Amino acid sequence: MTPKYQFERRYVGPIEAVIMDWAGTTVDFGSMAPICAFQRLFAEEGLPISEAEARGPMGTEKREHIRQLCAHPRIRDAWHEVKGEYPTEADIDRMYDDFVPLQIDAIAQTAELIPGLTDALEWMRANDIRIGGNTGYASTMIEGLLARAAEQGYTPDSNVCATEVPKGRPYPHMSLKNAMDLGVQHLCACVKIDDTLTGIEEGLNAGMWTIGVAVSGNEVGMSLEDWQVLSEAEQELRRAAAYQRMTASGAHYVIDSIADVIPCLEEISARLAVGEKP
Ligand SMILES: [Mg+2]
């Protein structure tokens, strides 16, 4: 007789890989580079946009980001007022071409490692964890960034840009390509770390553990200098709102920045060691 039960297959083992976003997660505290570039781009069109508007679609591939900004109701109306028509697909293509040099310039100027990354990398290396990087930036934009990060001691074993896969975030393609490049066998033994909600979704869609960094990236959206001069009460207000959004997106853990990641990775290791799944 066939039994009325079955046993479940589960992974019990170490973390195989950590995949980290770039801007706002490992470099560029506050994810300032794209904001500077998007604001300059729209200002050059005669349509200044606010920092908050520029940040709206953050984490998505940059052509899509421009498309979403052009579809923003206020910007769309302002565009019509200034130019007498609504933005077209041709405008988006032209703006993307204009955007690339602005972005390359801004990225190279904001490539400083986020404090704490070096210790986190050391911990990962000591625990035989492979390291991947991925980004909504196009591959043509990040040569300078990779070089400047390497000078500071950060060279991921695999790096993937949104332009190298069929679909960017929140699709899981980038993290999956990282996993393939890194020779990962078990996606449930990978951790994705990101400063955007769409980047968290990417990791979840890939079947990975996810850690949101709330303060160093897009959710708080302030440079380290601006953050440090806020009062503790103001910091707490912004931190709490960012934690709330990231937790609601389904992140397994939310931390201030990469400086707090080691205890989190230790906890995930412990959970994997008893067979928990993401
Ligand atoms: Mg980011």
Side-chain angles (χ1 to χ4, degrees):
M1 196 182 123
T2 320
K4 291 191 170 70
Y5 58 83
Q6 64 180 54
F7 289 101
E8 195 188 347
R9 181 176 186 262
R10 61 181 179 166
Y11 175 86
V12 177
I15 296 175
E16 290 191 26
V18 170
I19 295 161
M20 295 178 283
D21 168 63
W22 280 93
T25 305
T26 49
V27 296
D28 186 13
F29 195 106
S31 202
M32 303 306 290
I35 302 311
C36 303
F38 283 122
Q39 285 194 291
R40 269 180 69 191
L41 177 71
F42 278 81
E44 284 174 14
E45 291 288 326
L47 286 151
I49 61 171
S50 71
E51 194 180 314
E53 285 170 342
R55 271 190 195 281
M58 194 73 137
T60 52
E61 190 274 319
K62 301 306 172 197
R63 186 189 297 267
E64 176 60 24
H65 191 129
I66 294 170
R67 178 177 287 114
Q68 289 187 24
L69 287 176
C70 287
H72 182 289
R74 194 212 53 87
I75 297 169
R76 203 173 134 78
D77 288 348
W79 186 290
H80 191 268
E81 211 163 283
V82 171
K83 304 190 186 238
E85 56 182 14
Y86 289 111
T88 63
E89 223 27 55
D91 288 318
I92 292 165
D93 288 343
R94 177 179 53 76
M95 286 172 81
Y96 183 76
D97 291 342
D98 294 344
F99 173 76
V100 173
L102 295 177
Q103 176 76 103
I104 290 170
D105 188 44
I107 290 170
Q109 286 173 34
T110 52
E112 204 174 317
L113 300 191
I114 290 178
L117 178 66
T118 306
D119 288 345
L121 293 172
E122 211 170 284
W123 187 91
M124 292 175 207
R125 296 287 182 209
N127 285 277
D128 291 325
I129 293 171
R130 284 157 268 179
I131 297 167
N134 74 33
T135 177
Y137 292 147
S139 48
T140 49
M141 293 177 185
I142 63 156
E143 248 171 65
L145 173 65
L146 293 175
R148 287 215 41 213
E151 284 164 18
Q152 300 167 78
Y154 177 41
T155 306
D157 305 319
S158 147
N159 189 59
V160 179
C161 296
T163 48
E164 297 170 54
V165 291
K167 280 179 186 285
R169 298 167 184 155
Y171 283 78
H173 299 180
M174 283 200 288
S175 283
L176 294 177
K177 184 169 187 315
N178 283 124
M180 288 195 288
D181 291 349
L182 295 170
V184 161
Q185 191 177 358
H186 309 100
L187 294 170
C188 64
C190 296
V191 183
K192 172 75 202 295
I193 309 175
D194 209 291
D195 69 309
T196 62
L197 305 183
T198 181
I200 295 296
E201 278 183 78
E202 173 208 350
L204 294 171
N205 287 336
M208 298 177 178
W209 298 86
T210 54
I211 302 173
V213 287
V215 171
S216 67
N218 194 56
E219 283 302 311
V220 164
M222 298 178 87
S223 69
L224 184 57
E225 297 71 36
D226 288 349
W227 170 255
Q228 282 170 339
V229 300
L230 284 185
S231 70
E232 256 181 54
E234 274 198 64
Q235 282 187 350
E236 195 39 48
L237 211 64
R238 288 165 197 253
R239 177 189 284 117
Y243 269 63
Q244 209 280 323
R245 287 191 295 272
M246 292 207 117
T247 306
S249 78
H252 295 90
Y253 296 91
V254 182
I255 53 178
D256 277 11
S257 77
I258 203 75
D260 305 314
V261 84
I262 295 173
C264 244
L265 294 174
E266 284 171 338
E267 201 174 313
I268 292 172
S269 298
R271 291 173 70 178
L272 280 172
V274 296
E276 269 195 62
K277 289 175 183 166

